[in-house]
Amino acid sequence: MKPLRPLAKDDYKPLYIQLSDRIVEYIKENHLNPGYLLPSQNELVDYYGISEMTIRHTMLRLTTEGIVERIRGIGTFVAQPKIREQIESIQSLEERLASLGKKVRNVFLKAEKAYPSDRERKDLELPQGTKTLRIRRLKLMDNSVFAIETRHVPLEIIARFSQEEIETKPFLELFSRHDDIRVSMISYIIRAALLTEFEADAMNVPSDRVALNQYGVFYNSIRKPVMIGRLIYLADKIELQYKVEDNSSHITPIE
């Protein structure tokens, strides 16, 4: 079996992202099946000589992304594959809820240049070492927080918008103003989520609060990704409903 590759202390990526990537590589290179028991937190601390906090941050990230499954008191396992659902409706959350008579307010938290994870970078089709602008905002309805939004946008795209627009406007609305970045397809993955410490603090809820993670890759008309991002919903605050129609039936009129 191939061992875990070492970390690079002088790498531009934070250690927890490097370790996340190493564990994903370890699973893929060794063709580990769902349910396989992975090295424990103590084993990883001894192997890499890094802090328990870094290991916990790594495992939280991998659990949220559906790569591993943690069972308290037993261990960390390769997770079962998650169901992926394709959604074709190109409509912002604000627009969908407005149609139901609900107004969503965005509360800006922070925007910073950041290195996306390997998975996020590949989804954006960016070369290694490329930074994006990571934007985080709270979603409020009736003055109550129901979600936290995180977006990664390439720097050359986000430069088209003002700070006020970045802080307050729906991104689909902003992108629709430019033909070359207007969103024409979104690929979503939806799974159960664990809140990070930042997310729990921002929403003022316990970190063990039940949540849903909606991760999306946003494409323009030529299927080039222009943004990736996730909405973390508090599961007791909102219900996601999807309607799927069968368009396979075809009737040819009789002449």
Side-chain angles (χ1 to χ4, degrees), residues 20 130 182 192:
S20 298
T130 303
R182 181 180 290 113

Side-chain angles (χ1 to χ4, degrees), residues 85-91 96 172 183-188 223 242-245 247:
E85 187 170 2
Q86 198 79 12
I87 303 168
E88 295 184 358
S89 175
I90 308 299
Q91 197 175 32
R96 292 198 300 271
L172 287 180
V183 174
S184 65
M185 188 182 84
I186 309 172
S187 176
Y188 283 126
R223 298 300 185 260
Y242 296 94
K243 182 183 291 184
V244 180
E245 295 184 1
N247 295 319

Side-chain angles (χ1 to χ4, degrees), residues 205-224:
V205 297
S207 59
D208 60 355
R209 187 75 166 268
V210 178
L212 287 176
N213 177 356
Q214 179 178 285
Y215 176 82
V217 184
F218 299 74
Y219 299 87
N220 66 8
S221 60
I222 60 172
R223 298 300 185 260
K224 179 177 175 58

Side-chain angles (χ1 to χ4, degrees), residues 23 30 45 48-49 57 78 95 103 111 119 123 129 143 171 227:
I23 291 174
N30 291 296
V45 168
Y48 282 113
H57 201 166
V78 178
E95 289 176 307
K103 184 176 181 180
R119 187 258 182 86
D123 283 344
N143 291 320
F171 286 104
M227 176 174 67

Side-chain angles (χ1 to χ4, degrees), residues 142-189:
D142 299 328
N143 291 320
S144 177
V145 176
F146 68 92
I148 186 168
E149 172 186 41
T150 301
R151 304 290 184 194
H152 280 272
V153 185
L155 298 179
E156 68 274 13
I157 291 178
I158 203 66
R160 305 184 189 193
F161 308 114
S162 69
Q163 183 66 27
E164 181 183 2
E165 289 172 327
I166 292 170
E167 292 181 4
T168 62
K169 297 293 185 181
F171 286 104
L172 287 180
E173 176 187 320
L174 295 177
F175 282 41
S176 68
R177 301 175 187 174
H178 303 269
D179 289 341
D180 62 325
I181 60 172
R182 181 180 290 113
V183 174
S184 65
M185 188 182 84
I186 309 172
S187 176
Y188 283 126
I189 300 171

